[in-house]
């Protein structure tokens, strides 16, 4: 399985993601710069955390207009998996690949600490290695992670089982304790916590590795079926 880690000006978690795939998953991975327009050679696209374009206007707003994002949209529309973490989640919201928006954290402070999440849906491309309602320990690091959507959107997310992760103790004010959601097709996941920073016990938790293992397992199964 070949992964693309998209690099925007201001990305700072791209190396963490690269390491998670190369050392944790032991799969092929490339850095792909924001100027790229062709993602045909990749099986999954990863949008890292950071401060793309300095978070000017809004977090992820300018990155959503990068050349590569048109290709990311096409990639997602083809059914291939796209994962956006932290700033990557914000970019997915700005491009419309996921519904909702991000506000400043309720306490108006940057938060950087481990949090406990509940796995709300273990039937997505990204979560089949987890048990349903499992508690996982993954760090957060954000100032604008307060997920917001209108009641109609929230109802749709709940009805379609699109809420993948919830906070056990909501750190930022996100509506319905939402930490991560998928699109209706189930191949685009956005989440504020950082699974790539929880891929080895030496980091304090290896709970995040199961997310990447899920992606690999499901890709292999699909690859066997279609080959």
């Amino acid at each position: 399985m070949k992964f693309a880690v998209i690099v925007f000006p201001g990305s700072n978690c791209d190396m963490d993601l690269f390491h998670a795939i190369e050392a944790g998953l032991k799969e092929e991975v490339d850095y792909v710069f924001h100027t790229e327009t062709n993602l045909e050679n990749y099986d999954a696209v990863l949008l890292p955390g950071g401060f793309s374009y300095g978070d000017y206007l809004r977090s992820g707003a300018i990155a959503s207009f990068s050349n590569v994002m048109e290709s990311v949209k096409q990639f997602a529309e083809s059914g291939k998996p796209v994962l956006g973490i932290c700033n990557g989640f914000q970019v997915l919201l700005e491009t419309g690949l996921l519904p909702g928006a991000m506000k400043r954290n309720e306490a108006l402070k940057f938060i950087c600490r481990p949090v406990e999440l509940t796995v709300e849906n273990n039937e997505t491309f990204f979560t089949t290695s987890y048990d349903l309602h499992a508690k996982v320990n993954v760090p957060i690091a954000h100032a604008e992670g307060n997920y917001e959507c209108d009641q109609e959107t929230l109802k749709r997310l709940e009805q379609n089982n699109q809420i993948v992760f919830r906070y056990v103790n909501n750190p930022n004010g996100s509506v319905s304790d939402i930490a991560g959601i998928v699109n209706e097709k189930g191949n685009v996941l956005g989440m504020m916590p950082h699974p790539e920073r929880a891929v080895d016990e030496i980091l304090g938790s290896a709970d995040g590795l199961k997310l990447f293992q899920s992606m690999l397992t499901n890709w292999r199964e699909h690859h066997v079926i279609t080959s």
Side-chain angles (χ1 to χ4, degrees):
M1 187 175 187
K2 191 172 184 180
F3 292 78
V5 174
I6 307 300
V7 182
F8 300 105
S11 294
N12 67 7
C13 301
D14 43 341
M15 291 184 181
D16 296 345
L17 260 177
F18 191 99
H19 174 79
I21 301 303
E22 185 181 54
L25 209 57
K26 295 180 172 41
E27 291 295 317
E28 192 174 355
V29 57
D30 291 333
Y31 292 117
V32 176
F33 288 90
H34 59 101
T35 51
E36 185 56 66
T37 56
N38 188 346
L39 297 171
E40 290 179 2
N41 294 328
Y42 296 98
D43 301 302
V45 167
L46 312 177
L47 305 180
F51 302 90
S52 58
Y53 294 90
D55 278 353
Y56 287 109
L57 299 183
R58 290 181 307 278
S59 298
I62 297 178
S64 69
F65 294 102
S66 295
N67 290 345
V68 75
M69 288 311 298
E70 223 20 79
S71 299
V72 172
K73 288 179 187 176
Q74 294 169 10
F75 192 90
E77 286 166 5
S78 75
K80 291 183 178 181
V82 176
L83 169 64
I85 299 169
C86 199
N87 188 229
F89 185 9
Q90 294 162 342
V91 175
L92 292 175
L93 294 173
E94 290 288 339
T95 59
L97 284 170
L98 290 173
M102 285 296 170
K103 302 189 299 184
R104 293 275 293 169
N105 293 341
E106 204 167 48
L108 302 180
K109 293 180 179 179
F110 182 86
I111 306 171
C112 183
R113 60 178 173 82
V115 297
E116 195 173 35
L117 308 175
T118 302
V119 178
E120 298 290 329
N121 182 350
N122 71 337
E123 297 181 352
T124 77
F125 191 90
F126 311 89
T127 55
T128 50
S129 294
Y130 294 105
D131 293 330
L132 185 62
H133 304 314
K135 298 293 191 294
V136 297
N137 193 287
V138 181
I140 57 170
H142 57 250
E144 296 181 10
N146 184 354
Y147 178 77
E148 182 62 52
C149 64
D150 59 34
Q151 285 303 305
E152 185 179 336
T153 301
L154 179 59
K155 185 178 179 181
R156 190 165 63 249
L157 290 174
E158 291 174 338
Q159 287 177 339
N160 296 335
N161 207 17
Q162 290 175 247
I163 300 172
V164 179
F165 296 106
R166 276 192 167 101
Y167 297 109
V168 174
N169 296 300
N170 194 332
N172 51 34
S174 289
V175 64
S176 194
D177 301 324
I178 288 173
I181 60 172
V182 287
N183 62 343
E184 289 190 18
K185 194 184 288 187
N187 67 307
V188 178
L189 169 65
M191 60 186 298
M192 288 310 294
H194 288 265
E196 79 282 11
R197 296 182 181 178
V199 295
D200 193 304
E201 291 297 344
I202 198 171
L203 301 172
S205 171
D207 290 346
L209 185 58
K210 286 186 178 181
L211 187 147
F212 301 106
Q213 289 171 336
S214 297
M215 295 178 71
L216 179 58
T217 298
N218 287 305
W219 176 83
R220 282 176 173 165
E221 289 179 359
H222 177 76
H223 192 67
V224 168
I225 291 170
T226 57
S227 60

